[in-house]
Every structure is written in C-alpha cells, then in structure tokens.
Amino acid sequence: MSEQTPERPETLLRPDPKLLELLVCPLTKTPLVYDREANELVSKAAKLAFPIRHGIPIMLVSEARELG
C-alpha cells in the first residue's frame, strides 16, 4: 500500500485566480485586492475585507470585516 502525500492546505484553499479577476465589491462595484496573507478580498473603496473560506469568497457585507 503506498502512502499519498497530502496537499498543503493553502494549495487546496486558494481561490481561482480567474474568479478573483471577475469579482467586485458588492457594495461599491469597485475592484477587489486579494490579500493572500489574510486570505481576504479587500475593497479599498468600502473599507471592507471579505473572507475566503475553503477557497470560496464570501461576498456578503454582513460577513465582511471593517478596515480601519
């Protein structure tokens, strides 16, 4: 029986780059910036950071984190 090497979690959870190009802020309709370190999509115009969970961007204003 051969052992399979598990993939790194960050590889499995990284959102599709093509999807990121299409997404805009649901509040302002402006482009988003992907923050790889925080695993969030940042709307500078709305001063919000949208989480990415299991590789899926959560584009709900109610789920976003306010930026200072």
Side-chain angles (χ1 to χ4, degrees):
M1 206 179 219
S2 64
E3 283 187 41
Q4 292 182 353
T5 305
E7 292 187 44
R8 297 186 340 223
E10 61 270 14
T11 303
L12 292 174
L13 303 179
R14 188 171 296 150
D16 182 343
K18 291 187 185 223
L19 173 64
L20 296 181
E21 290 175 18
L22 298 173
L23 290 175
V24 296
C25 174
L27 193 62
T28 64
K29 310 299 186 231
T30 56
L32 298 165
V33 176
Y34 177 47
D35 181 345
R36 179 176 285 163
E37 199 170 295
N39 203 33
E40 297 175 322
L41 292 172
V42 176
S43 170
K44 293 180 181 179
K47 296 185 180 173
L48 294 172
F50 297 91
I52 299 173
R53 297 184 187 132
H54 306 287
I56 301 169
I58 309 300
M59 303 306 298
L60 301 171
V61 174
S62 61
E63 293 288 319
R65 179 174 65 85
E66 290 186 27
L67 301 174

